[in-house]
Amino acid sequence: MHPHINPGGIARRFPSGQPTDLMMQQEFESSLLESAVTEISRLPGIGRKTALRLALHLLRQDASAAVSLGEAIINMRRGIRYCPVCHNISEEGICPICSDRRRDSATVCVVESVRDVMVFENTRQYNGLYHVLGGVISPIDGIGPDQLQVDSLVQRVRSGKVAEVILALSATMEGDTTEYYIYKRLQAEQSPVKITQLARGVAVGNEIEYTDEVTLGRSLMNRTLFSDTVRF
C-alpha cells in the first residue's frame, strides 16, 4: 500500500502502488467538489487553488447562501440580453442609455466592452451613446474584425443620425490597430461624421478599465481628431 499525495493535499492508497486512470483524472476524493472546483476555475483570473478555496468557503456557509448565489447567476444569465443598437447589456430590449431621450444621440463612443461603458458612466463627463465592440482585433488570439461589432457601427453611421464617433479603446497595440481599422472603414463611407479619439492623458499601454475617472474624464473632454494622429 503506497500513499499518493494529490495537489489538494489528500493522501490516497492504491493496492497496486499506482493510481488508476480514473483516479488520476480526479484531484479530490469528492466528485461533487471536483466538479465545483472545475467550473469555478473556468472564470477569468481564477486558478484551481482559488477555486478550491471558494468552493470550501461555500461549503462552510449555510446552504441557503450557495442556493442564493446559484439563483442569482442563473437569473442574470437568463434575464440579461444585449441591446440591439449598442450591444450594451440590458434587461429589456433597447438598453436604458439608448432609450434615454435626454442623451446626445448624435455622439457615439466606441468602447471595447460593457465594463468600459460602466467606467465612462462613472466619470459623469459623457452624455452621448455608446457602441460596444465586444473585443479588439488581436491576431494572436484569433480575433479579427469579423468577430467584432464593427458592421453594426457602420450601419449606425450610414443612418445619418451620428455626427461624431469617439474611438475610446485602450492605448494598446490591439486597441490602436482596432481604432485605425474602424477609422478606415468609416472613412470609406465618405460620411461627414467626425471621428475623434481620447486625448493621451490615458497612458500608452493602459487599459480603459483601470484608468481613474478623473484622468478618463479629462481625456474624453479634450479628445482630438483621429486624422491628426494618422501618418499617411
Side-chain angles (χ1 to χ4, degrees):
M1 302 288 282
H2 300 281
H4 171 70
I5 306 299
N6 69 14
I10 300 175
R12 304 177 186 169
R13 297 180 180 274
F14 305 98
S16 64
Q18 295 295 330
T20 64
D21 290 341
L22 179 60
M23 288 294 189
M24 288 180 67
Q25 294 175 5
Q26 183 169 312
E27 187 176 353
F28 309 111
E29 294 290 352
S30 170
S31 60
L32 296 178
L33 178 61
E34 179 83 27
S35 177
V37 169
T38 297
E39 294 304 318
I40 294 173
S41 66
R42 296 181 192 276
L43 296 173
I46 296 183
R48 288 188 66 82
K49 287 185 178 180
T50 301
L52 174 60
R53 186 165 63 250
L54 293 173
L56 293 178
H57 170 76
L58 288 173
L59 282 176
R60 290 193 297 270
Q61 304 303 305
D62 188 83
S64 62
V67 172
S68 296
L69 174 61
E71 290 179 347
I73 293 174
I74 292 172
N75 291 336
M76 176 191 70
R77 190 62 186 87
R78 289 177 176 173
I80 290 182
R81 61 198 73 182
Y82 290 96
C83 174
V85 177
C86 72
H87 311 293
N88 188 22
I89 57 175
S90 176
E91 293 183 17
E92 300 175 0
I94 297 177
C95 73
I97 294 178
C98 285
S99 58
D100 188 347
R101 295 181 179 275
R102 296 170 297 179
R103 301 188 74 108
D104 177 12
S105 60
T107 304
V108 175
C109 183
V110 180
V111 297
E112 176 182 345
S113 69
V114 170
R115 174 59 181 155
D116 292 339
V117 172
M118 299 176 183
V119 173
F120 275 103
E121 286 297 282
N122 286 337
T123 68
R124 302 186 184 279
Q125 297 290 324
Y126 181 68
N127 193 45
L129 303 183
Y130 295 94
H131 190 88
V132 181
L133 294 176
V136 289
I137 297 173
S138 178
I140 195 171
D141 295 318
I143 302 175
D146 293 341
Q147 279 80 52
L148 307 180
Q149 297 291 350
V150 177
D151 289 341
S152 57
L153 173 63
V154 174
Q155 292 297 329
R156 293 179 73 175
V157 172
R158 282 178 182 171
S159 71
K161 298 178 181 179
V162 178
E164 179 183 2
V165 171
I166 305 171
L167 300 178
L169 304 181
S170 298
T172 61
M173 181 179 297
E174 294 80 5
D176 289 345
T177 299
T178 307
E179 287 188 344
Y180 183 72
Y181 175 82
I182 293 173
Y183 170 74
K184 298 300 289 184
R185 282 287 304 271
L186 296 182
Q187 192 180 48
E189 292 295 312
Q190 298 183 339
S191 168
V193 66
K194 180 168 66 172
I195 305 173
T196 59
Q197 68 175 173
L198 298 179
R200 287 305 187 188
V202 178
V204 175
N206 273 15
E207 298 282 347
I208 292 294
E209 179 179 350
Y210 303 115
T211 304
D212 68 271
E213 287 87 353
V214 174
T215 299
L216 192 58
R218 289 174 179 170
S219 297
L220 183 61
M221 298 302 293
N222 297 320
R223 59 187 181 274
T224 59
L225 288 173
F226 188 85
S227 58
D228 291 345
T229 65
V230 176
R231 299 289 183 268
F232 295 97

